Amino acid sequence: MKSWFYFLLFLYLIIVSVIVDGDGDGGDGDDEDRPTKGRGGLERNFYRTSCPKAESLIRDITWNRVKNDANLGARLLRIHYHDCFVKGCDGSILLDTAGNEKSEKEARSNLSLLGFEIIDEIKTEVEKECPGVVSCADIVALAARDTVSYPFQKSMWDVFTGRRDGRISLESDANVHLPSPFANFTSLLQLFASKNLDINDLVALSGAHTIGVAHCGSFSRRLYNFTGKGDIDPSLDPIYGEQLKKICPLPINGAITLDMDPQSSLSFDNDYFNMLTKKKGLFISDAALLTDRRSARIVRQLQSPKSFFRAFAISMINMGAIEVLTGTNGEIRKNCRVVNP
Ligand code: HEM
Ligand SMILES: *[C@@H]1O[C@H](CO)[C@@H](O)[C@H](O)[C@H]1NC(C)=O
Ligand SMILES: *[C@@H]1O[C@H](CO)[C@@H](O)[C@H](O)[C@H]1NC(C)=O
Ligand SMILES: *[C@@H]1O[C@H](CO)[C@@H](O)[C@H](O)[C@H]1NC(C)=O
């Protein structure tokens, strides 16, 4: 009889621990087993025979440049993200305006994308090595990974390759497909879902805001008369809010920028999640990650550097596979700024 009692108690404890843990991942915050969502037909080292030196050439050029301009990591990472979210990772973000409508990079949401020159420079070198082989979309994906990885002197995530370049780039698409910094959790999750990305991707990728800068206009409405009572957004730390007001006084000057992670805006680390839990996330869209129980739980998990780097690596593979063109779709652009004739 007694052994039955202990057996039932044992069963009960197991069931309770699984329920409390919610997702049954073992509860230690590791997501080792979280699979990537497929690679959209991309593969590892796609250019191994057609242009074997492509990947090392791209890494050498970016590492040389980022040595003298540490901001490049943030710039190229954001270009890759904007590329992937608008019409897939097809290099469309690189195209200059050609027809009647402005191209993606001219959209309001571009908010000063920078770093296009280095893509041109890489493309020129790669074309010398293997003309007409390596896509601009792959160059963006590899260069983003390599610039961010430079301080670590190793690759921080895998980049699968074989993307081909698109021929369409429209401002109107950028306005619809990029999330607004004022978005709430529900609309962020919806937008990510429309890109085949889930809540884990949303939280992990938001961690990119551990590097780089923002303009006052992207968050200043949180600082002044937020609820109509002359107040600061209650989801923002009030002392931090006062500091931000000093940097962004009224009337808002569109040229002023500030570091999103003021402690270490050049270092790719998991500080974003520590800032976030202290109510120091800069955008409404950052703070929104704490308004949902599940995402708030992921935020706490990613306060562990190991968990963050692993989760980010998985989510970058997912993001890099959004609506990619492969095989005979699209083209290999000669010049990243214009479609082939
Ligand atoms: C979750 C939705 C997201 C929103 C609403 C958002 C919004 C923004 C905004 C408003 C800025 C500042 C622009 C400015 O004021 O100049 C910014 C900067 C940046 N974002 Fe995001 N972002 C999101 C997701 C991402 C993702 C997924 C990545 C990359 C994986 C990313 C990488 C960056 C980087 C690196 C910067 C700094 C760029 C620089 O310093 O040049 N963001 N983002
Ligand atoms: C971003 O858009 C603004 C406004 O349309 C434009 O002046 C600027 O040149 C664009 N940035 C890039 C890199 O094209
Ligand atoms: C989130 O934002 C969307 C779009 O602005 C809005 O329709 C929706 O009501 C908002 N949801 C919540 C919970 O506030
Ligand atoms: C703050 O917002 C309220 C409600 O919209 C408005 O009546 C008031 O004039 C605003 N105050 C300032 C200083 O803009």
Side-chain angles (χ1 to χ4, degrees), residues 2-35:
K2 208 167 175 194
S3 62
W4 266 107
F5 170 75
Y6 282 114
F7 179 68
L8 287 174
L9 182 68
F10 174 73
L11 265 186
Y12 171 79
L13 288 176
I14 286 193
I15 290 166
V16 165
S17 76
V18 166
I19 290 171
V20 168
D21 183 36
D23 58 3
D25 68 354
D28 61 358
D30 285 359
D31 50 7
E32 220 140 7
D33 301 328
R34 182 160 68 89

PDB file of all heavy atoms in Angstrom, residues 2-35:
ATOM      1  N   LYS A   2       1.885   1.224   0.919  1.00  0.00           N
ATOM      2  CA  LYS A   2       2.719   2.403   1.082  1.00  0.00           C
ATOM      3  C   LYS A   2       3.456   2.751  -0.222  1.00  0.00           C
ATOM      4  O   LYS A   2       3.546   3.915  -0.608  1.00  0.00           O
ATOM      5  CB  LYS A   2       3.720   2.152   2.202  1.00  0.00           C
ATOM      6  CG  LYS A   2       4.132   3.432   2.890  1.00  0.00           C
ATOM      7  CD  LYS A   2       4.860   3.133   4.192  1.00  0.00           C
ATOM      8  CE  LYS A   2       5.360   4.419   4.802  1.00  0.00           C
ATOM      9  NZ  LYS A   2       6.331   4.140   5.852  1.00  0.00           N
ATOM     10  N   SER A   3       3.950   1.731  -0.922  1.00  0.00           N
ATOM     11  CA  SER A   3       4.702   2.005  -2.150  1.00  0.00           C
ATOM     12  C   SER A   3       3.769   2.616  -3.213  1.00  0.00           C
ATOM     13  O   SER A   3       4.184   3.454  -4.007  1.00  0.00           O
ATOM     14  CB  SER A   3       5.360   0.734  -2.674  1.00  0.00           C
ATOM     15  OG  SER A   3       4.371  -0.205  -2.992  1.00  0.00           O
ATOM     16  N   TRP A   4       2.509   2.197  -3.230  1.00  0.00           N
ATOM     17  CA  TRP A   4       1.538   2.802  -4.143  1.00  0.00           C
ATOM     18  C   TRP A   4       1.394   4.289  -3.866  1.00  0.00           C
ATOM     19  O   TRP A   4       1.355   5.106  -4.780  1.00  0.00           O
ATOM     20  CB  TRP A   4       0.155   2.135  -3.980  1.00  0.00           C
ATOM     21  CG  TRP A   4      -0.009   1.033  -4.961  1.00  0.00           C
ATOM     22  CD1 TRP A   4       0.013  -0.318  -4.703  1.00  0.00           C
ATOM     23  CD2 TRP A   4      -0.214   1.182  -6.366  1.00  0.00           C
ATOM     24  NE1 TRP A   4      -0.155  -1.007  -5.862  1.00  0.00           N
ATOM     25  CE2 TRP A   4      -0.293  -0.120  -6.901  1.00  0.00           C
ATOM     26  CE3 TRP A   4      -0.316   2.278  -7.217  1.00  0.00           C
ATOM     27  CZ2 TRP A   4      -0.484  -0.345  -8.253  1.00  0.00           C
ATOM     28  CZ3 TRP A   4      -0.512   2.052  -8.557  1.00  0.00           C
ATOM     29  CH2 TRP A   4      -0.589   0.746  -9.071  1.00  0.00           C
ATOM     30  N   PHE A   5       1.354   4.617  -2.571  1.00  0.00           N
ATOM     31  CA  PHE A   5       1.203   6.018  -2.189  1.00  0.00           C
ATOM     32  C   PHE A   5       2.366   6.847  -2.758  1.00  0.00           C
ATOM     33  O   PHE A   5       2.171   7.888  -3.377  1.00  0.00           O
ATOM     34  CB  PHE A   5       1.142   6.145  -0.664  1.00  0.00           C
ATOM     35  CG  PHE A   5       1.226   7.573  -0.200  1.00  0.00           C
ATOM     36  CD1 PHE A   5       0.138   8.430  -0.323  1.00  0.00           C
ATOM     37  CD2 PHE A   5       2.418   8.080   0.308  1.00  0.00           C
ATOM     38  CE1 PHE A   5       0.231   9.758   0.068  1.00  0.00           C
ATOM     39  CE2 PHE A   5       2.495   9.396   0.708  1.00  0.00           C
ATOM     40  CZ  PHE A   5       1.408  10.245   0.590  1.00  0.00           C
ATOM     41  N   TYR A   6       3.590   6.321  -2.572  1.00  0.00           N
ATOM     42  CA  TYR A   6       4.750   7.072  -3.053  1.00  0.00           C
ATOM     43  C   TYR A   6       4.768   7.146  -4.583  1.00  0.00           C
ATOM     44  O   TYR A   6       5.144   8.160  -5.168  1.00  0.00           O
ATOM     45  CB  TYR A   6       6.053   6.457  -2.516  1.00  0.00           C
ATOM     46  CG  TYR A   6       6.290   6.844  -1.082  1.00  0.00           C
ATOM     47  CD1 TYR A   6       6.275   5.903  -0.069  1.00  0.00           C
ATOM     48  CD2 TYR A   6       6.503   8.185  -0.752  1.00  0.00           C
ATOM     49  CE1 TYR A   6       6.460   6.267   1.249  1.00  0.00           C
ATOM     50  CE2 TYR A   6       6.684   8.555   0.565  1.00  0.00           C
ATOM     51  CZ  TYR A   6       6.672   7.605   1.563  1.00  0.00           C
ATOM     52  OH  TYR A   6       6.858   7.975   2.854  1.00  0.00           O
ATOM     53  N   PHE A   7       4.304   6.068  -5.212  1.00  0.00           N
ATOM     54  CA  PHE A   7       4.250   6.081  -6.677  1.00  0.00           C
ATOM     55  C   PHE A   7       3.295   7.171  -7.180  1.00  0.00           C
ATOM     56  O   PHE A   7       3.604   7.947  -8.081  1.00  0.00           O
ATOM     57  CB  PHE A   7       3.808   4.699  -7.193  1.00  0.00           C
ATOM     58  CG  PHE A   7       3.696   4.645  -8.689  1.00  0.00           C
ATOM     59  CD1 PHE A   7       4.833   4.741  -9.486  1.00  0.00           C
ATOM     60  CD2 PHE A   7       2.458   4.525  -9.304  1.00  0.00           C
ATOM     61  CE1 PHE A   7       4.731   4.710 -10.866  1.00  0.00           C
ATOM     62  CE2 PHE A   7       2.358   4.496 -10.685  1.00  0.00           C
ATOM     63  CZ  PHE A   7       3.490   4.579 -11.466  1.00  0.00           C
ATOM     64  N   LEU A   8       2.105   7.246  -6.528  1.00  0.00           N
ATOM     65  CA  LEU A   8       1.126   8.260  -6.942  1.00  0.00           C
ATOM     66  C   LEU A   8       1.637   9.667  -6.653  1.00  0.00           C
ATOM     67  O   LEU A   8       1.477  10.584  -7.451  1.00  0.00           O
ATOM     68  CB  LEU A   8      -0.215   8.024  -6.230  1.00  0.00           C
ATOM     69  CG  LEU A   8      -0.980   6.806  -6.752  1.00  0.00           C
ATOM     70  CD1 LEU A   8      -2.214   6.541  -5.905  1.00  0.00           C
ATOM     71  CD2 LEU A   8      -1.372   7.000  -8.206  1.00  0.00           C
ATOM     72  N   LEU A   9       2.304   9.817  -5.522  1.00  0.00           N
ATOM     73  CA  LEU A   9       2.863  11.128  -5.174  1.00  0.00           C
ATOM     74  C   LEU A   9       3.881  11.560  -6.237  1.00  0.00           C
ATOM     75  O   LEU A   9       3.886  12.698  -6.708  1.00  0.00           O
ATOM     76  CB  LEU A   9       3.552  11.044  -3.800  1.00  0.00           C
ATOM     77  CG  LEU A   9       4.147  12.376  -3.297  1.00  0.00           C
ATOM     78  CD1 LEU A   9       3.028  13.358  -2.971  1.00  0.00           C
ATOM     79  CD2 LEU A   9       5.026  12.148  -2.078  1.00  0.00           C
ATOM     80  N   PHE A  10       4.710  10.576  -6.641  1.00  0.00           N
ATOM     81  CA  PHE A  10       5.731  10.826  -7.658  1.00  0.00           C
ATOM     82  C   PHE A  10       5.076  11.291  -8.969  1.00  0.00           C
ATOM     83  O   PHE A  10       5.455  12.306  -9.555  1.00  0.00           O
ATOM     84  CB  PHE A  10       6.512   9.512  -7.857  1.00  0.00           C
ATOM     85  CG  PHE A  10       7.499   9.548  -8.968  1.00  0.00           C
ATOM     86  CD1 PHE A  10       8.684  10.264  -8.849  1.00  0.00           C
ATOM     87  CD2 PHE A  10       7.258   8.856 -10.147  1.00  0.00           C
ATOM     88  CE1 PHE A  10       9.607  10.283  -9.879  1.00  0.00           C
ATOM     89  CE2 PHE A  10       8.172   8.885 -11.176  1.00  0.00           C
ATOM     90  CZ  PHE A  10       9.351   9.599 -11.048  1.00  0.00           C
ATOM     91  N   LEU A  11       4.040  10.550  -9.387  1.00  0.00           N
ATOM     92  CA  LEU A  11       3.319  10.914 -10.617  1.00  0.00           C
ATOM     93  C   LEU A  11       2.750  12.325 -10.510  1.00  0.00           C
ATOM     94  O   LEU A  11       2.870  13.146 -11.422  1.00  0.00           O
ATOM     95  CB  LEU A  11       2.148   9.941 -10.838  1.00  0.00           C
ATOM     96  CG  LEU A  11       2.397   8.756 -11.743  1.00  0.00           C
ATOM     97  CD1 LEU A  11       1.094   8.013 -11.947  1.00  0.00           C
ATOM     98  CD2 LEU A  11       2.936   9.236 -13.089  1.00  0.00           C
ATOM     99  N   TYR A  12       2.149  12.605  -9.355  1.00  0.00           N
ATOM    100  CA  TYR A  12       1.516  13.901  -9.121  1.00  0.00           C
ATOM    101  C   TYR A  12       2.549  15.030  -9.271  1.00  0.00           C
ATOM    102  O   TYR A  12       2.324  16.031  -9.944  1.00  0.00           O
ATOM    103  CB  TYR A  12       0.906  13.904  -7.725  1.00  0.00           C
ATOM    104  CG  TYR A  12       0.403  15.248  -7.274  1.00  0.00           C
ATOM    105  CD1 TYR A  12      -0.822  15.743  -7.719  1.00  0.00           C
ATOM    106  CD2 TYR A  12       1.152  16.042  -6.404  1.00  0.00           C
ATOM    107  CE1 TYR A  12      -1.272  16.982  -7.314  1.00  0.00           C
ATOM    108  CE2 TYR A  12       0.709  17.280  -5.999  1.00  0.00           C
ATOM    109  CZ  TYR A  12      -0.506  17.750  -6.452  1.00  0.00           C
ATOM    110  OH  TYR A  12      -0.931  18.986  -6.057  1.00  0.00           O
ATOM    111  N   LEU A  13       3.736  14.820  -8.669  1.00  0.00           N
ATOM    112  CA  LEU A  13       4.773  15.857  -8.730  1.00  0.00           C
ATOM    113  C   LEU A  13       5.227  16.098 -10.166  1.00  0.00           C
ATOM    114  O   LEU A  13       5.451  17.229 -10.582  1.00  0.00           O
ATOM    115  CB  LEU A  13       5.967  15.471  -7.852  1.00  0.00           C
ATOM    116  CG  LEU A  13       5.679  15.568  -6.350  1.00  0.00           C
ATOM    117  CD1 LEU A  13       6.874  15.065  -5.542  1.00  0.00           C
ATOM    118  CD2 LEU A  13       5.341  17.009  -5.963  1.00  0.00           C
ATOM    119  N   ILE A  14       5.346  15.020 -10.937  1.00  0.00           N
ATOM    120  CA  ILE A  14       5.772  15.178 -12.335  1.00  0.00           C
ATOM    121  C   ILE A  14       4.743  15.994 -13.116  1.00  0.00           C
ATOM    122  O   ILE A  14       5.080  16.951 -13.822  1.00  0.00           O
ATOM    123  CB  ILE A  14       5.973  13.802 -13.001  1.00  0.00           C
ATOM    124  CG1 ILE A  14       7.253  13.183 -12.465  1.00  0.00           C
ATOM    125  CG2 ILE A  14       6.026  13.944 -14.516  1.00  0.00           C
ATOM    126  CD1 ILE A  14       7.721  11.991 -13.237  1.00  0.00           C
ATOM    127  N   ILE A  15       3.452  15.631 -12.922  1.00  0.00           N
ATOM    128  CA  ILE A  15       2.396  16.336 -13.660  1.00  0.00           C
ATOM    129  C   ILE A  15       2.390  17.810 -13.283  1.00  0.00           C
ATOM    130  O   ILE A  15       2.373  18.692 -14.136  1.00  0.00           O
ATOM    131  CB  ILE A  15       1.029  15.686 -13.385  1.00  0.00           C
ATOM    132  CG1 ILE A  15       0.976  14.309 -14.064  1.00  0.00           C
ATOM    133  CG2 ILE A  15      -0.107  16.575 -13.871  1.00  0.00           C
ATOM    134  CD1 ILE A  15      -0.153  13.432 -13.597  1.00  0.00           C
ATOM    135  N   VAL A  16       2.473  18.084 -11.967  1.00  0.00           N
ATOM    136  CA  VAL A  16       2.452  19.477 -11.519  1.00  0.00           C
ATOM    137  C   VAL A  16       3.628  20.244 -12.099  1.00  0.00           C
ATOM    138  O   VAL A  16       3.491  21.361 -12.579  1.00  0.00           O
ATOM    139  CB  VAL A  16       2.458  19.551  -9.970  1.00  0.00           C
ATOM    140  CG1 VAL A  16       2.808  20.953  -9.509  1.00  0.00           C
ATOM    141  CG2 VAL A  16       1.094  19.143  -9.435  1.00  0.00           C
ATOM    142  N   SER A  17       4.817  19.619 -12.112  1.00  0.00           N
ATOM    143  CA  SER A  17       5.990  20.369 -12.587  1.00  0.00           C
ATOM    144  C   SER A  17       5.867  20.678 -14.075  1.00  0.00           C
ATOM    145  O   SER A  17       6.282  21.735 -14.533  1.00  0.00           O
ATOM    146  CB  SER A  17       7.281  19.614 -12.286  1.00  0.00           C
ATOM    147  OG  SER A  17       7.432  18.562 -13.201  1.00  0.00           O
ATOM    148  N   VAL A  18       5.248  19.765 -14.829  1.00  0.00           N
ATOM    149  CA  VAL A  18       5.067  20.039 -16.256  1.00  0.00           C
ATOM    150  C   VAL A  18       4.077  21.173 -16.458  1.00  0.00           C
ATOM    151  O   VAL A  18       4.288  22.078 -17.261  1.00  0.00           O
ATOM    152  CB  VAL A  18       4.594  18.761 -16.999  1.00  0.00           C
ATOM    153  CG1 VAL A  18       4.085  19.114 -18.386  1.00  0.00           C
ATOM    154  CG2 VAL A  18       5.735  17.764 -17.098  1.00  0.00           C
ATOM    155  N   ILE A  19       2.973  21.159 -15.659  1.00  0.00           N
ATOM    156  CA  ILE A  19       1.970  22.219 -15.798  1.00  0.00           C
ATOM    157  C   ILE A  19       2.564  23.575 -15.430  1.00  0.00           C
ATOM    158  O   ILE A  19       2.410  24.559 -16.144  1.00  0.00           O
ATOM    159  CB  ILE A  19       0.739  21.921 -14.908  1.00  0.00           C
ATOM    160  CG1 ILE A  19      -0.018  20.721 -15.483  1.00  0.00           C
ATOM    161  CG2 ILE A  19      -0.171  23.127 -14.803  1.00  0.00           C
ATOM    162  CD1 ILE A  19      -1.117  20.195 -14.595  1.00  0.00           C
ATOM    163  N   VAL A  20       3.318  23.613 -14.310  1.00  0.00           N
ATOM    164  CA  VAL A  20       3.891  24.877 -13.861  1.00  0.00           C
ATOM    165  C   VAL A  20       4.883  25.406 -14.882  1.00  0.00           C
ATOM    166  O   VAL A  20       4.946  26.587 -15.178  1.00  0.00           O
ATOM    167  CB  VAL A  20       4.566  24.699 -12.476  1.00  0.00           C
ATOM    168  CG1 VAL A  20       5.408  25.912 -12.135  1.00  0.00           C
ATOM    169  CG2 VAL A  20       3.492  24.486 -11.416  1.00  0.00           C
ATOM    170  N   ASP A  21       5.647  24.488 -15.473  1.00  0.00           N
ATOM    171  CA  ASP A  21       6.648  24.899 -16.454  1.00  0.00           C
ATOM    172  C   ASP A  21       6.002  25.414 -17.731  1.00  0.00           C
ATOM    173  O   ASP A  21       6.598  26.173 -18.488  1.00  0.00           O
ATOM    174  CB  ASP A  21       7.574  23.713 -16.761  1.00  0.00           C
ATOM    175  CG  ASP A  21       8.678  24.097 -17.713  1.00  0.00           C
ATOM    176  OD1 ASP A  21       9.145  25.240 -17.603  1.00  0.00           O
ATOM    177  OD2 ASP A  21       9.054  23.287 -18.557  1.00  0.00           O
ATOM    178  N   GLY A  22       4.753  25.013 -17.973  1.00  0.00           N
ATOM    179  CA  GLY A  22       4.014  25.561 -19.115  1.00  0.00           C
ATOM    180  C   GLY A  22       4.401  24.944 -20.435  1.00  0.00           C
ATOM    181  O   GLY A  22       3.611  24.280 -21.079  1.00  0.00           O
ATOM    182  N   ASP A  23       5.631  25.122 -20.868  1.00  0.00           N
ATOM    183  CA  ASP A  23       5.997  24.664 -22.196  1.00  0.00           C
ATOM    184  C   ASP A  23       6.778  23.361 -22.173  1.00  0.00           C
ATOM    185  O   ASP A  23       7.221  22.880 -23.204  1.00  0.00           O
ATOM    186  CB  ASP A  23       6.801  25.739 -22.934  1.00  0.00           C
ATOM    187  CG  ASP A  23       8.044  26.128 -22.174  1.00  0.00           C
ATOM    188  OD1 ASP A  23       8.289  25.523 -21.112  1.00  0.00           O
ATOM    189  OD2 ASP A  23       8.765  27.020 -22.642  1.00  0.00           O
ATOM    190  N   GLY A  24       6.986  22.826 -20.939  1.00  0.00           N
ATOM    191  CA  GLY A  24       7.631  21.533 -20.830  1.00  0.00           C
ATOM    192  C   GLY A  24       9.042  21.510 -21.399  1.00  0.00           C
ATOM    193  O   GLY A  24       9.539  20.485 -21.831  1.00  0.00           O
ATOM    194  N   ASP A  25       9.734  22.660 -21.391  1.00  0.00           N
ATOM    195  CA  ASP A  25      11.077  22.672 -21.972  1.00  0.00           C
ATOM    196  C   ASP A  25      12.144  22.371 -20.931  1.00  0.00           C
ATOM    197  O   ASP A  25      13.325  22.525 -21.186  1.00  0.00           O
ATOM    198  CB  ASP A  25      11.369  24.025 -22.637  1.00  0.00           C
ATOM    199  CG  ASP A  25      11.479  25.148 -21.635  1.00  0.00           C
ATOM    200  OD1 ASP A  25      11.223  24.906 -20.438  1.00  0.00           O
ATOM    201  OD2 ASP A  25      11.818  26.263 -22.043  1.00  0.00           O
ATOM    202  N   GLY A  26      11.695  21.939 -19.752  1.00  0.00           N
ATOM    203  CA  GLY A  26      12.673  21.615 -18.729  1.00  0.00           C
ATOM    204  C   GLY A  26      12.831  22.752 -17.732  1.00  0.00           C
ATOM    205  O   GLY A  26      13.377  22.572 -16.671  1.00  0.00           O
ATOM    206  N   GLY A  27      12.328  23.926 -18.096  1.00  0.00           N
ATOM    207  CA  GLY A  27      12.206  25.009 -17.136  1.00  0.00           C
ATOM    208  C   GLY A  27      13.474  25.789 -16.877  1.00  0.00           C
ATOM    209  O   GLY A  27      13.450  26.769 -16.164  1.00  0.00           O
ATOM    210  N   ASP A  28      14.585  25.430 -17.472  1.00  0.00           N
ATOM    211  CA  ASP A  28      15.814  26.162 -17.175  1.00  0.00           C
ATOM    212  C   ASP A  28      16.068  27.269 -18.179  1.00  0.00           C
ATOM    213  O   ASP A  28      17.105  27.902 -18.165  1.00  0.00           O
ATOM    214  CB  ASP A  28      17.008  25.202 -17.139  1.00  0.00           C
ATOM    215  CG  ASP A  28      17.204  24.510 -18.459  1.00  0.00           C
ATOM    216  OD1 ASP A  28      16.402  24.759 -19.364  1.00  0.00           O
ATOM    217  OD2 ASP A  28      18.149  23.736 -18.599  1.00  0.00           O
ATOM    218  N   GLY A  29      15.086  27.504 -19.057  1.00  0.00           N
ATOM    219  CA  GLY A  29      15.211  28.621 -19.986  1.00  0.00           C
ATOM    220  C   GLY A  29      15.969  28.252 -21.246  1.00  0.00           C
ATOM    221  O   GLY A  29      16.071  29.051 -22.151  1.00  0.00           O
ATOM    222  N   ASP A  30      16.505  27.064 -21.326  1.00  0.00           N
ATOM    223  CA  ASP A  30      17.222  26.690 -22.538  1.00  0.00           C
ATOM    224  C   ASP A  30      16.247  26.304 -23.634  1.00  0.00           C
ATOM    225  O   ASP A  30      15.206  25.727 -23.389  1.00  0.00           O
ATOM    226  CB  ASP A  30      18.134  25.498 -22.249  1.00  0.00           C
ATOM    227  CG  ASP A  30      19.349  25.939 -21.460  1.00  0.00           C
ATOM    228  OD1 ASP A  30      19.439  27.145 -21.193  1.00  0.00           O
ATOM    229  OD2 ASP A  30      20.179  25.092 -21.109  1.00  0.00           O
ATOM    230  N   ASP A  31      16.591  26.645 -24.843  1.00  0.00           N
ATOM    231  CA  ASP A  31      15.708  26.277 -25.949  1.00  0.00           C
ATOM    232  C   ASP A  31      16.537  25.567 -27.012  1.00  0.00           C
ATOM    233  O   ASP A  31      16.338  25.748 -28.192  1.00  0.00           O
ATOM    234  CB  ASP A  31      14.997  27.502 -26.516  1.00  0.00           C
ATOM    235  CG  ASP A  31      15.976  28.612 -26.822  1.00  0.00           C
ATOM    236  OD1 ASP A  31      17.202  28.366 -26.708  1.00  0.00           O
ATOM    237  OD2 ASP A  31      15.545  29.688 -27.176  1.00  0.00           O
ATOM    238  N   GLU A  32      17.482  24.789 -26.532  1.00  0.00           N
ATOM    239  CA  GLU A  32      18.390  24.052 -27.387  1.00  0.00           C
ATOM    240  C   GLU A  32      17.667  23.343 -28.525  1.00  0.00           C
ATOM    241  O   GLU A  32      18.155  23.246 -29.623  1.00  0.00           O
ATOM    242  CB  GLU A  32      19.099  22.985 -26.549  1.00  0.00           C
ATOM    243  CG  GLU A  32      20.542  22.828 -26.877  1.00  0.00           C
ATOM    244  CD  GLU A  32      21.359  22.618 -25.606  1.00  0.00           C
ATOM    245  OE1 GLU A  32      20.786  22.461 -24.525  1.00  0.00           O
ATOM    246  OE2 GLU A  32      22.578  22.639 -25.707  1.00  0.00           O
ATOM    247  N   ASP A  33      16.458  22.828 -28.192  1.00  0.00           N
ATOM    248  CA  ASP A  33      15.793  21.968 -29.146  1.00  0.00           C
ATOM    249  C   ASP A  33      14.846  22.738 -30.058  1.00  0.00           C
ATOM    250  O   ASP A  33      14.218  22.147 -30.915  1.00  0.00           O
ATOM    251  CB  ASP A  33      15.009  20.877 -28.407  1.00  0.00           C
ATOM    252  CG  ASP A  33      15.940  20.043 -27.545  1.00  0.00           C
ATOM    253  OD1 ASP A  33      17.100  19.879 -27.954  1.00  0.00           O
ATOM    254  OD2 ASP A  33      15.514  19.609 -26.470  1.00  0.00           O
ATOM    255  N   ARG A  34      14.748  24.051 -29.863  1.00  0.00           N
ATOM    256  CA  ARG A  34      13.836  24.800 -30.704  1.00  0.00           C
ATOM    257  C   ARG A  34      14.360  24.743 -32.132  1.00  0.00           C
ATOM    258  O   ARG A  34      15.460  25.204 -32.422  1.00  0.00           O
ATOM    259  CB  ARG A  34      13.752  26.257 -30.244  1.00  0.00           C
ATOM    260  CG  ARG A  34      12.770  27.088 -31.047  1.00  0.00           C
ATOM    261  CD  ARG A  34      12.353  28.332 -30.288  1.00  0.00           C
ATOM    262  NE  ARG A  34      13.394  29.312 -30.118  1.00  0.00           N
ATOM    263  CZ  ARG A  34      13.646  30.285 -30.995  1.00  0.00           C
ATOM    264  NH1 ARG A  34      12.956  30.393 -32.093  1.00  0.00           N
ATOM    265  NH2 ARG A  34      14.595  31.146 -30.752  1.00  0.00           N
ATOM    266  N   PRO A  35      13.608  24.112 -33.036  1.00  0.00           N
ATOM    267  CA  PRO A  35      14.124  23.940 -34.383  1.00  0.00           C
ATOM    268  C   PRO A  35      13.991  25.229 -35.196  1.00  0.00           C
ATOM    269  O   PRO A  35      13.165  26.072 -34.881  1.00  0.00           O
ATOM    270  CB  PRO A  35      13.208  22.853 -34.964  1.00  0.00           C
ATOM    271  CG  PRO A  35      11.925  23.005 -34.212  1.00  0.00           C
ATOM    272  CD  PRO A  35      12.232  23.613 -32.875  1.00  0.00           C
TER     273      PRO A  35
END
